[in-house]
Amino acid sequence: MIYTLTLNPAVDIEYQVKSFDLNSVTRASSCRMDAGGKGFNVSRMLAQLDMVSTAVGFIGGHSGARLEAALKRQKIETNFCDITGESRTNVSFVREGSSDHYKVNDPGPEISAFEVASLYEKVSRLALPGDWWILAGSVPPGVPLTVYAELIRLLKQKGAQVFLDSSGEAFKLACSAQPTLIKPNLEEAEELLGLSKGHGLSLKEISQKLIQLGPEKVVISLGKDGACCFDGSSLNIVKSPNIVEKNPVGAGDSLVAGMVWGLFQGDALPIALKKGIACGAATASIEGTGLGTLEQVQQLMARVDVQ
Ligand SMILES: Nc1ncnc2c1ncn2[C@@H]1O[C@H](COP(=O)(O)OP(=O)(O)OP(=O)(O)O)[C@@H](O)[C@H]1O
Ligand SMILES: O=P(O)(O)OC[C@@]1(O)O[C@H](CO)[C@@H](O)[C@@H]1O
């Protein structure tokens, strides 16, 4: 079974605007809503690939109900911890005809100690050997920053595989719990390692340093340039195909979904990354946090080369 865990889901609103003007009223030409938060996006992309997954996480209020309904419409199974707070809304403004955007992420609702305890209890009850768990996104207020580290230890004890994509201190603490795989983008990788600008390290050296933090394998995404994967000994760089970029938000989550698609079928890491790259490129070519289709992904896969 594949589970995605989103501690901080979000209704993603995207407004298309002609220009970004300060101190004046901007009238949007269109608006769209997507059921976002990194783990939910992974479940949505897996559904595009005809893969069944269960979305787990904290959900609350009217926004939470909206998110749950949107996931159910896409035939995604859900198993949530209800919270008293309201799930957040994140807003993007995109300049018409381009991929230039301004994105504001809400910190998310306050989660109580009781709600945190109910999450641990749920994960412990669900996890079985051989399951894949994708833990993704920020940690909302009230949840200890050790949450991912503790969940990874629990999941690994149960014999599950863990794919982690987060940010900041929670990400760093979680690496020491030895997740199966992590996927920072290059900026997040540099932040995890405390590297300053102009450090001059190669992708292999950065990957080696990341492995020293604890994860078994590492993927670093590089936006339009593709991504690299490192299994502790060999590094593969996979270039992304050229596309017309509409909105890259969520491309990283699609890359994760594409990799899980491959790994779940027994692909070697570089082949799974090839599938991930095609999914990321497909999603970057679509507006909002809209996701690529299976047909687009298959067409793009033919244009991806593993080096
Ligand atoms: N403009 C683009 N052209 C082609 N491929 C792209 C483009 N943008 C993203 N991708 C694909 O999507 C993958 C993930 O993108 P990126 O590195 O931007 O992830 P990210 O920073 O985690 O994104 P996010 O957090 O917004 O989901 C890349 O490795 C690449 O394969
Ligand atoms: O605030 P976080 O949890 O780091 O990121 C949340 C978010 O920006 O990530 C997704 C794109 O990757 C969006 O659906 C969502 O708005």
Side-chain angles (χ1 to χ4, degrees):
M1 186 68 202
I2 300 173
Y3 293 93
T4 62
L5 174 71
T6 313
L7 298 176
N8 210 354
V11 174
D12 280 325
I13 305 272
E14 181 196 283
Y15 292 105
Q16 290 272 335
V17 295
K18 284 203 163 38
S19 56
F20 303 116
D21 300 319
L22 277 183
N23 308 324
S24 68
V25 174
T26 301
R27 306 247 175 228
S29 55
S30 67
C31 171
R32 62 172 283 158
M33 187 284 273
D34 290 292
K38 293 190 189 300
F40 285 6
N41 291 340
V42 174
S43 271
R44 288 169 53 221
M45 186 69 214
L46 285 170
Q48 301 283 88
L49 303 168
D50 286 333
M51 296 281 289
V52 177
S53 68
T54 300
V56 179
F58 293 120
I59 203 99
H62 293 295
S63 311
R66 211 173 166 185
L67 288 167
E68 185 162 12
L71 293 181
K72 288 211 157 114
R73 273 197 300 278
Q74 291 169 69
K75 310 262 182 305
I76 294 164
E77 291 177 23
T78 59
N79 196 333
F80 295 131
C81 293
D82 293 323
I83 54 166
T84 50
E86 177 85 18
S87 294
R88 65 184 170 154
T89 297
N90 291 343
V91 185
S92 303
F93 301 92
V94 179
R95 199 196 308 271
E96 276 177 37
S98 79
S99 62
D100 294 343
H101 63 278
Y102 188 73
K103 186 171 191 313
V104 182
N105 282 12
D106 185 305
E110 181 79 27
I111 310 292
S112 69
F114 174 77
E115 290 161 349
V116 173
S118 77
L119 177 83
Y120 285 120
E121 194 271 324
K122 186 181 286 293
V123 174
S124 171
R125 200 162 24 84
L126 291 175
L128 288 172
D131 287 343
W132 269 88
W133 280 77
I134 297 104
L135 316 184
S138 59
V139 175
V143 179
L145 292 177
T146 50
V147 64
Y148 282 136
E150 287 170 29
L151 287 171
I152 292 166
R153 284 190 195 102
L154 189 160
L155 287 165
K156 292 202 77 185
Q157 260 174 20
K158 298 264 182 182
Q161 309 277 348
V162 187
F163 197 154
L164 175 72
D165 180 11
S166 184
S167 49
E169 192 57 22
F171 199 1
K172 190 164 185 182
L173 291 169
C175 285
S176 63
Q178 303 180 331
T180 315
L181 186 56
I182 60 168
K183 193 227 65 77
N185 61 28
L186 185 57
E187 199 182 326
E188 288 159 352
E190 289 165 343
E191 190 191 325
L192 276 173
L193 297 171
L195 297 174
S196 51
K197 286 226 177 307
H199 53 75
L201 294 181
S202 67
L203 285 173
K204 185 158 190 180
E205 287 164 332
I206 294 176
S207 304
Q208 279 165 333
K209 284 186 178 293
L210 287 173
I211 292 274
Q212 282 162 15
L213 295 181
E216 291 169 25
K217 293 168 189 159
V218 169
V219 169
I220 303 175
S221 69
L222 309 163
K224 66 177 169 35
D225 293 328
C228 66
C229 59
F230 185 64
D231 61 4
S233 55
S234 50
L235 180 93
N236 291 93
I237 298 175
V238 184
K239 295 259 181 246
S240 206
N242 278 332
I243 48 127
V244 177
E245 185 181 278
K246 291 267 177 56
N247 186 339
V249 173
D253 308 328
S254 289
L255 181 145
V256 170
M259 289 202 67
V260 172
W261 182 39
L263 292 170
F264 206 71
Q265 292 164 358
D267 285 348
L269 194 62
I271 303 303
L273 181 55
K274 183 174 168 172
K275 292 180 174 164
I277 293 275
C279 292
T283 289
S285 68
I286 293 178
E287 283 168 6
T289 325
L291 304 171
T293 62
L294 180 56
E295 199 186 342
Q296 274 177 311
V297 169
Q298 280 165 338
Q299 280 168 6
L300 285 164
M301 251 161 61
R303 294 167 45 203
V304 182
D305 280 328
V306 181
Q307 288 175 9

